[in-house]
Amino acid sequence: MGAAAFLVGFPLACVFLDGRAALTTRSGLVTAVFFGELTTVAVGGYWLYHAANGFFGKTPLTSLLFTGVVTLTHAGLFIGFGVFTASRLTRLPAALRILGFASSWTAWELARSKLLYGCPWDLLGHAFSRSPALMQLTAVGGVYALSFLAAAAGSALGIGWMAWRRGENGWRWMLAGILVPAAAWAGGTLALPREKPSVPAASLATDATSSTDTLRVAIVQTAIGKRELWEEGLRAVHLDRFDRLSRRTAGKGVDLVVWAENAVPFGLDAHPAVVERLQNLCDELGAAVLLGAPRSENRGDGKGRLYNSIYFFRPGERDYTAYDKTRLLPYIESIPEFARSFFSRSIGIEYTEGSSQQMLELDGWRIAPLICFESTYPELATEYAARGADLLVNVSNDAWFDRGAAAEQHFAMSVFRAPEIRRPLVRVANGGVSAAIDPFGRILASPAPRSDAVEIVDIQRPLQVRTWYSLTGDTFAWACVLLTAALLVAARWEPAYPR
């Protein structure tokens, strides 16, 4: 996917940035939005239909309408507006058209990450989740820096190609479209330390004792089916499954055992016997246990609130710490305010948003929890970095995605949280991709996806550094907004001929 992302701008530049054949406003807008919606459905949203129809049991027509509305409002329109805005720059010289295309694409990615509910799913830069070298740019500009790079490279290739076809000197732009990404990759490679600051545990046969600078973490991954997780008659079976896998870590010096989101698919706070069982498991393993489960709260008015939560148990303690998810999955866990006139309720379970982020403490380590969709929001991770987090832990239940690449996409986006703030990340997903990621975005350990497995990894305490991105947030993307606006103004004063 990484290499293909560099080519996205090529055909778009040929269609929308050709100064000799500029599209009219109407045709440009219609074509750009059609491209945006088609791309969103084909690449990043087709699985919504399967999820709505196969998991949530909606009719084919309802599932189709749901897919169309969500993909259009949360991505398709924004991609289309990004391309259309760039098409208004055809009067500008080639260099400014390239900059304008890249900045417009990035600016509208920022818009779809912030407006309406905010949906930073499958941004162009996410295609580079398997390239730690290129991901080093995220420490400066977040994933938006990679989106800008890919859009600029592709549009340079397209503009150069059009010039060459006309017998003009276009090779310099095509060369720039190749050399600039290559230079970014080379610079990122040099920035990567040779030794990984976290490594898979070398020997699990001995009773190793972790120092305070090393946290031994056990990833407990399951592959419980998309519907099985919520079947009431299988609750005990699922709990036994996680318990049995966790006990494989006994005597291995593990400090923290991590289960998936909704590993316990019922209100754990209302089942004291299960709470006691988990506390006893902690004591027997000598390790903390972090897991996902719903949590209820009595409001005192005869109604209750339901939260999607993390429960954190520590050995030797008879109580737990709970963290409530603050960014709910739109349409599945809650209905965004702007869409309440179209949707009466969520198609899944209606949850209440948590009030604030919460740090979890273990042996001097500050652990930052992220539940499922929260891992796609970089601002949550940067806030944790400001509060001195040592480790990000993301738990998810990806089984409901059903068919398609959604589980892999979710993992690809989560990876970026590590290099953006230079903190290690541990991710555990039921029915998806689990892994330990070092502060530079390199995968340290990852059990086979969609399998029952236990992976143990030693995480070294990271330096409490603050990257430029963790300090300034989306400054780079906002700069792209300003650059796009400036170029639009400049284009109105340029003579109507290409250069």
Side-chain angles (χ1 to χ4, degrees):
M1 284 297 294
F6 283 121
L7 300 177
V8 168
F10 179 88
L12 294 176
C14 294
V15 174
F16 292 95
L17 299 183
D18 187 356
R20 294 182 182 274
L23 298 175
T24 64
T25 300
R26 177 179 296 179
S27 62
L29 182 59
V30 171
T31 305
V33 172
F34 177 77
F35 164 79
E37 177 63 0
L38 182 64
T39 301
T40 302
V41 173
V43 177
Y46 64 93
W47 51 265
L48 280 169
Y49 173 85
H50 298 301
N53 180 245
F55 181 78
F56 295 105
K58 303 300 178 181
T59 65
L61 179 59
T62 300
S63 301
L64 187 63
L65 291 174
F66 173 75
T67 301
V69 169
V70 173
T71 53
L72 183 65
T73 58
H74 284 285
L77 282 175
F78 293 97
I79 294 175
F81 289 158
V83 174
F84 172 72
T85 301
S87 73
R88 302 300 90 188
L89 306 176
T90 53
R91 292 184 175 189
L92 296 176
L96 294 182
R97 273 181 280 159
I98 294 168
L99 283 176
F101 180 84
S103 64
S104 177
W105 184 285
T106 306
W108 283 99
E109 280 196 342
L110 176 67
R112 74 175 167 111
S113 299
K114 304 296 183 183
L115 299 181
L116 302 181
Y117 184 88
C119 188
W121 188 280
D122 254 4
L123 305 182
L124 183 59
H126 287 140
F128 304 106
S129 63
R130 298 283 181 167
S131 176
L134 287 175
M135 280 199 291
Q136 300 318 297
L137 283 176
T138 65
V140 177
V143 68
Y144 301 110
L146 288 177
S147 294
F148 183 93
L149 176 67
S155 59
L157 291 172
I159 285 176
W161 171 259
M162 287 189 294
W164 181 80
R165 287 286 303 272
R166 291 194 295 264
E168 300 173 3
N169 185 11
W171 64 267
R172 57 178 176 170
W173 300 119
M174 288 190 284
L175 190 61
I178 296 172
L179 292 182
V180 171
W185 178 86
T189 300
L190 293 174
L192 287 171
R194 295 192 177 185
E195 293 185 2
K196 296 182 179 180
S198 310
V199 295
S203 174
L204 304 183
T206 60
D207 185 3
T209 301
S210 298
S211 72
T212 57
D213 289 330
T214 303
L215 195 72
R216 179 162 286 190
V217 181
I219 294 171
V220 178
Q221 175 186 275
T222 55
I224 300 174
K226 60 183 181 181
R227 290 187 180 276
E228 294 174 14
L229 182 65
W230 300 101
E231 291 186 18
E232 188 172 346
L234 295 177
R235 287 178 175 179
V237 175
H238 299 328
L239 187 57
D240 289 343
R241 192 170 180 174
F242 276 101
D243 187 290
R244 183 174 62 255
L245 289 168
S246 299
R247 291 185 184 279
R248 294 183 187 176
T249 69
K252 305 299 193 301
V254 169
D255 301 300
L256 174 64
V257 176
V258 184
W259 297 2
E261 177 193 19
N262 290 319
V264 178
F266 52 85
L268 184 54
D269 56 308
H271 291 77
V274 180
V275 170
E276 184 177 3
R277 176 178 177 176
L278 291 166
Q279 291 167 337
N280 292 336
L281 178 64
C282 281
D283 293 340
E284 293 170 26
L285 296 178
V289 175
L290 185 154
L291 59 90
R295 189 181 74 84
S296 59
E297 182 180 88
N298 191 340
R299 299 195 309 189
D301 57 0
K303 298 180 181 179
R305 290 189 178 94
L306 186 64
Y307 297 93
N308 186 352
S309 303
I310 277 177
Y311 289 76
F312 186 54
F313 297 87
R314 284 180 284 255
E317 298 183 13
R318 308 315 295 170
D319 202 359
Y320 57 78
T321 302
Y323 162 71
D324 303 321
K325 188 176 183 181
T326 60
R327 299 297 292 267
L328 300 176
L329 185 61
Y331 307 104
I332 308 303
E333 295 178 328
S334 70
I335 297 298
E337 286 298 328
F338 79 92
R340 289 194 178 275
S341 58
F342 302 99
F343 298 89
S344 59
R345 63 178 304 277
S346 67
I347 67 173
I349 300 175
E350 195 79 22
Y351 287 108
T352 300
E353 282 190 355
S355 58
S356 62
Q357 295 174 255
Q358 183 172 345
M359 203 83 75
L360 307 174
E361 301 282 343
L362 178 64
D363 298 334
W365 281 68
R366 287 157 292 191
I367 300 171
L370 297 167
I371 302 176
C372 190
F373 192 60
E374 290 183 321
S375 66
T376 66
Y377 291 97
E379 59 266 29
L380 299 183
T382 55
E383 173 62 25
Y384 277 132
R387 295 169 57 186
D390 296 305
L391 171 67
L392 300 173
V393 174
N394 172 222
V395 299
S396 185
N397 172 32
D398 291 346
W400 69 272
F401 283 134
D402 201 6
R403 290 180 285 173
E408 285 74 16
Q409 291 171 1
H410 198 190
F411 172 72
M413 289 176 278
S414 302
V415 170
F416 284 83
R417 305 296 80 83
E420 284 171 350
I421 65 172
R422 289 286 188 265
R423 299 295 190 276
L425 165 71
V426 170
R427 185 175 195 271
V428 180
N430 170 54
V433 184
S434 304
I437 312 295
D438 83 354
F440 295 88
R442 295 175 292 192
I443 297 176
L444 302 168
S446 182
R450 299 177 176 87
S451 67
D452 281 13
V454 178
E455 191 86 34
I456 300 178
V457 62
D458 286 337
I459 306 292
Q460 302 299 319
R461 189 190 297 275
L463 297 174
Q464 283 293 322
V465 297
R466 296 294 305 277
T467 64
W468 180 255
Y469 184 72
S470 70
L471 289 169
T472 64
D474 298 326
T475 299
F476 175 82
W478 282 108
C480 288
V481 174
L482 296 177
L483 176 59
T484 302
L487 291 175
L488 285 172
V489 172
R492 293 185 62 85
W493 297 95
E494 281 292 304
Y497 59 87
R499 286 185 284 173

mmCIF file of all heavy atoms in Angstrom, residues 378-394:
data_model
loop_
_atom_site.group_PDB
_atom_site.id
_atom_site.type_symbol
_atom_site.label_atom_id
_atom_site.label_comp_id
_atom_site.label_asym_id
_atom_site.label_seq_id
_atom_site.Cartn_x
_atom_site.Cartn_y
_atom_site.Cartn_z
ATOM 1 N N PRO A 378 -4.979 11.109 17.240
ATOM 2 C CA PRO A 378 -3.650 11.437 17.774
ATOM 3 C C PRO A 378 -3.688 12.385 18.955
ATOM 4 O O PRO A 378 -2.804 12.354 19.811
ATOM 5 C CB PRO A 378 -2.923 12.062 16.578
ATOM 6 C CG PRO A 378 -4.003 12.503 15.646
ATOM 7 C CD PRO A 378 -5.126 11.531 15.837
ATOM 8 N N GLU A 379 -4.721 13.236 19.040
ATOM 9 C CA GLU A 379 -4.767 14.203 20.137
ATOM 10 C C GLU A 379 -4.906 13.525 21.492
ATOM 11 O O GLU A 379 -4.470 14.069 22.510
ATOM 12 C CB GLU A 379 -5.898 15.213 19.932
ATOM 13 C CG GLU A 379 -7.282 14.625 19.829
ATOM 14 C CD GLU A 379 -7.715 14.369 18.406
ATOM 15 O OE1 GLU A 379 -6.832 14.126 17.560
ATOM 16 O OE2 GLU A 379 -8.937 14.415 18.141
ATOM 17 N N LEU A 380 -5.496 12.343 21.534
ATOM 18 C CA LEU A 380 -5.597 11.630 22.801
ATOM 19 C C LEU A 380 -4.220 11.157 23.263
ATOM 20 O O LEU A 380 -3.872 11.248 24.442
ATOM 21 C CB LEU A 380 -6.552 10.442 22.674
ATOM 22 C CG LEU A 380 -7.996 10.760 22.296
ATOM 23 C CD1 LEU A 380 -8.843 9.488 22.288
ATOM 24 C CD2 LEU A 380 -8.597 11.787 23.246
ATOM 25 N N ALA A 381 -3.423 10.660 22.323
ATOM 26 C CA ALA A 381 -2.076 10.203 22.660
ATOM 27 C C ALA A 381 -1.176 11.367 23.041
ATOM 28 O O ALA A 381 -0.367 11.262 23.979
ATOM 29 C CB ALA A 381 -1.476 9.421 21.491
ATOM 30 N N THR A 382 -1.301 12.500 22.342
ATOM 31 C CA THR A 382 -0.446 13.638 22.677
ATOM 32 C C THR A 382 -0.790 14.191 24.058
ATOM 33 O O THR A 382 0.085 14.675 24.775
ATOM 34 C CB THR A 382 -0.564 14.752 21.620
ATOM 35 O OG1 THR A 382 -1.931 15.137 21.465
ATOM 36 C CG2 THR A 382 -0.032 14.288 20.279
ATOM 37 N N GLU A 383 -2.057 14.124 24.426
ATOM 38 C CA GLU A 383 -2.452 14.558 25.768
ATOM 39 C C GLU A 383 -1.823 13.654 26.821
ATOM 40 O O GLU A 383 -1.335 14.122 27.859
ATOM 41 C CB GLU A 383 -3.974 14.535 25.893
ATOM 42 C CG GLU A 383 -4.502 14.814 27.299
ATOM 43 C CD GLU A 383 -4.137 16.179 27.836
ATOM 44 O OE1 GLU A 383 -3.902 17.103 27.025
ATOM 45 O OE2 GLU A 383 -4.071 16.337 29.077
ATOM 46 N N TYR A 384 -1.802 12.355 26.559
ATOM 47 C CA TYR A 384 -1.150 11.434 27.488
ATOM 48 C C TYR A 384 0.346 11.707 27.567
ATOM 49 O O TYR A 384 0.955 11.625 28.641
ATOM 50 C CB TYR A 384 -1.383 9.991 27.046
ATOM 51 C CG TYR A 384 -2.704 9.402 27.473
ATOM 52 C CD1 TYR A 384 -3.522 8.730 26.568
ATOM 53 C CD2 TYR A 384 -3.128 9.476 28.803
ATOM 54 C CE1 TYR A 384 -4.722 8.158 26.967
ATOM 55 C CE2 TYR A 384 -4.326 8.912 29.203
ATOM 56 C CZ TYR A 384 -5.121 8.260 28.288
ATOM 57 O OH TYR A 384 -6.308 7.693 28.688
ATOM 58 N N ALA A 385 0.962 12.033 26.426
ATOM 59 C CA ALA A 385 2.394 12.337 26.430
ATOM 60 C C ALA A 385 2.682 13.556 27.300
ATOM 61 O O ALA A 385 3.673 13.592 28.033
ATOM 62 C CB ALA A 385 2.886 12.571 25.002
ATOM 63 N N ALA A 386 1.810 14.557 27.234
ATOM 64 C CA ALA A 386 1.988 15.756 28.045
ATOM 65 C C ALA A 386 1.897 15.438 29.535
ATOM 66 O O ALA A 386 2.489 16.137 30.358
ATOM 67 C CB ALA A 386 0.941 16.802 27.663
ATOM 68 N N ARG A 387 1.184 14.382 29.876
ATOM 69 C CA ARG A 387 1.019 14.001 31.272
ATOM 70 C C ARG A 387 2.051 12.969 31.714
ATOM 71 O O ARG A 387 1.970 12.418 32.805
ATOM 72 C CB ARG A 387 -0.395 13.461 31.489
ATOM 73 C CG ARG A 387 -1.475 14.515 31.276
ATOM 74 C CD ARG A 387 -2.864 13.924 31.223
ATOM 75 N NE ARG A 387 -3.190 13.159 32.430
ATOM 76 C CZ ARG A 387 -4.314 12.452 32.576
ATOM 77 N NH1 ARG A 387 -5.212 12.421 31.601
ATOM 78 N NH2 ARG A 387 -4.542 11.783 33.685
ATOM 79 N N GLY A 388 3.031 12.687 30.841
ATOM 80 C CA GLY A 388 4.140 11.829 31.227
ATOM 81 C C GLY A 388 3.913 10.352 31.064
ATOM 82 O O GLY A 388 4.510 9.536 31.779
ATOM 83 N N ALA A 389 3.094 9.942 30.105
ATOM 84 C CA ALA A 389 2.839 8.522 29.878
ATOM 85 C C ALA A 389 4.115 7.791 29.478
ATOM 86 O O ALA A 389 4.955 8.317 28.749
ATOM 87 C CB ALA A 389 1.777 8.348 28.798
ATOM 88 N N ASP A 390 4.253 6.555 29.963
ATOM 89 C CA ASP A 390 5.378 5.703 29.588
ATOM 90 C C ASP A 390 4.982 4.678 28.528
ATOM 91 O O ASP A 390 5.826 4.234 27.747
ATOM 92 C CB ASP A 390 5.899 4.941 30.815
ATOM 93 C CG ASP A 390 6.454 5.858 31.873
ATOM 94 O OD1 ASP A 390 7.351 6.660 31.553
ATOM 95 O OD2 ASP A 390 5.998 5.788 33.034
ATOM 96 N N LEU A 391 3.712 4.294 28.517
ATOM 97 C CA LEU A 391 3.259 3.211 27.644
ATOM 98 C C LEU A 391 1.811 3.447 27.243
ATOM 99 O O LEU A 391 0.969 3.767 28.077
ATOM 100 C CB LEU A 391 3.382 1.863 28.367
ATOM 101 C CG LEU A 391 2.767 0.636 27.687
ATOM 102 C CD1 LEU A 391 3.530 0.294 26.405
ATOM 103 C CD2 LEU A 391 2.765 -0.568 28.641
ATOM 104 N N LEU A 392 1.520 3.299 25.947
ATOM 105 C CA LEU A 392 0.150 3.317 25.449
ATOM 106 C C LEU A 392 -0.358 1.881 25.362
ATOM 107 O O LEU A 392 0.356 1.005 24.862
ATOM 108 C CB LEU A 392 0.084 3.955 24.063
ATOM 109 C CG LEU A 392 0.556 5.411 23.914
ATOM 110 C CD1 LEU A 392 0.570 5.808 22.447
ATOM 111 C CD2 LEU A 392 -0.337 6.354 24.700
ATOM 112 N N VAL A 393 -1.562 1.643 25.837
ATOM 113 C CA VAL A 393 -2.185 0.328 25.712
ATOM 114 C C VAL A 393 -3.534 0.507 25.033
ATOM 115 O O VAL A 393 -4.400 1.221 25.536
ATOM 116 C CB VAL A 393 -2.367 -0.364 27.077
ATOM 117 C CG1 VAL A 393 -3.152 -1.660 26.909
ATOM 118 C CG2 VAL A 393 -1.013 -0.664 27.714
ATOM 119 N N ASN A 394 -3.684 -0.132 23.885
ATOM 120 C CA ASN A 394 -4.919 -0.050 23.106
ATOM 121 C C ASN A 394 -5.588 -1.419 23.066
ATOM 122 O O ASN A 394 -4.984 -2.396 22.633
ATOM 123 C CB ASN A 394 -4.602 0.427 21.686
ATOM 124 C CG ASN A 394 -5.792 0.360 20.746
ATOM 125 O OD1 ASN A 394 -5.645 -0.051 19.595
ATOM 126 N ND2 ASN A 394 -6.962 0.748 21.203
#
